[in-house]
Amino acid sequence: DTVLTQSPALAVSPGERVTISCRASESVSTLMHWYQQKPGQQPKLLIYLASNLESGVPARFSGSGSGTDFTLTIDPVEADDTATYYCQQSWNDPPTFGSGTKLEIK
Amino acid sequence: EVQLVESGGGLVQPGRSLKLSCAASGFTFSNYDMAWVRQAPTKGLEWVASISTGGGNTYYRDSVKGRFTISRDNAKSTLYLQMDSLRSEDTATYYCARQDPGISVMDAWGQGASVTVSS
């Protein structure tokens, strides 16, 4: 299975820029997607195909990357962005998720 | 508005069965692949199974193959997950998700159904 590695946690202040990384154990082309999960809620799609913003998602969120290295950027960060962020690949079977990056807003 | 509403969760003994349902509304259900994704307590997301638009193709993670069955009723806009021979490691919140047929991104999620496997 394709393993997706994410850093476990980050802490930033409101107004700052934050990048969350996701590294795949093998190429996933651009079939990488990002989800936000707030405590007690279901996941929500933010970015699909590495860099495409899902409808209704603020333009503060952006994604980049291809192959094995991907990033999710939030600029500027707001207090409401406190959540765990997951990457997910759909290039290789089975689809896999990263372990999640917990973002704390100071 | 797209809505996915899971039901059928609960407490079940190891080795027993449980069937989850997911009622869909707000979109043409038969145009989308569908998936189940689970999340064990305090853990990350884990894909469980997917089914094609017409139900003819199904896919499972290895750990549930032969025990879980995904199915759908397009006339009722409902997705199912039959879970047999349940184990303690199946304890999780199970999410129903709409899956784009082309790129397999999960673009809509239900609120989840909690399944606890314990004696």
Side-chain angles (χ1 to χ4, degrees), chain A residues 3-106:
Chain A
V3 176
L4 302 180
T5 302
Q6 297 182 245
S7 51
L10 289 170
V12 298
S13 298
E16 292 185 346
R17 179 177 184 265
V18 64
T19 59
I20 297 171
S21 65
C22 177
R23 175 163 287 178
S25 61
E26 57 187 323
S27 177
V28 300
S29 185
T30 57
L31 268 70
M32 182 66 78
H33 322 295
W34 290 93
Y35 302 87
Q36 176 193 64
Q37 187 178 33
K38 295 182 177 180
Q41 295 186 18
Q42 68 267 52
K44 172 189 173 184
L45 176 65
L46 298 175
I47 300 287
Y48 63 96
L49 292 176
S51 60
N52 293 272
L53 191 68
E54 174 71 348
S55 176
V57 174
R60 303 183 292 105
F61 293 87
S62 63
S64 65
S66 65
T68 60
D69 290 294
F70 298 85
T71 57
L72 172 70
T73 300
I74 312 172
D75 186 16
V77 165
E78 296 182 358
D80 188 52
D81 298 334
T82 296
T84 300
Y85 293 84
Y86 294 92
C87 55
Q88 178 242 326
Q89 66 82 23
S90 59
W91 178 250
N92 301 310
D93 287 328
T96 51
F97 290 87
S99 54
T101 297
K102 189 171 184 178
L103 180 64
E104 176 195 342
I105 311 301
K106 299 175 192 173

Side-chain angles (χ1 to χ4, degrees), chain B residues 33-114:
Chain B
D33 294 349
M34 297 295 295
W36 289 98
V37 176
R38 68 185 179 186
Q39 186 170 36
T42 73
K43 300 297 185 183
L45 301 169
E46 181 176 81
W47 170 80
V48 174
S50 293
I51 188 167
S52 59
T53 54
N57 294 303
T58 56
Y59 311 89
Y60 301 91
R61 69 178 303 102
D62 286 347
S63 61
V64 308
K65 276 181 189 173
R67 300 189 300 122
F68 289 12
T69 304
I70 187 172
S71 62
R72 64 191 296 163
D73 184 334
N74 285 345
K76 294 183 178 179
S77 295
T78 302
L79 176 72
Y80 303 100
L81 185 67
Q82 174 68 44
M83 303 184 290
D84 299 323
S85 303
L86 281 161
R87 306 167 180 168
S88 58
E89 54 264 37
D90 296 318
T91 293
T93 296
Y94 284 74
Y95 295 102
C96 159
R98 188 177 78 171
Q99 200 170 1
D100 181 281
I103 60 175
S104 296
V105 64
M106 297 168 205
D107 64 0
W109 296 66
Q111 85 289 349
S114 178

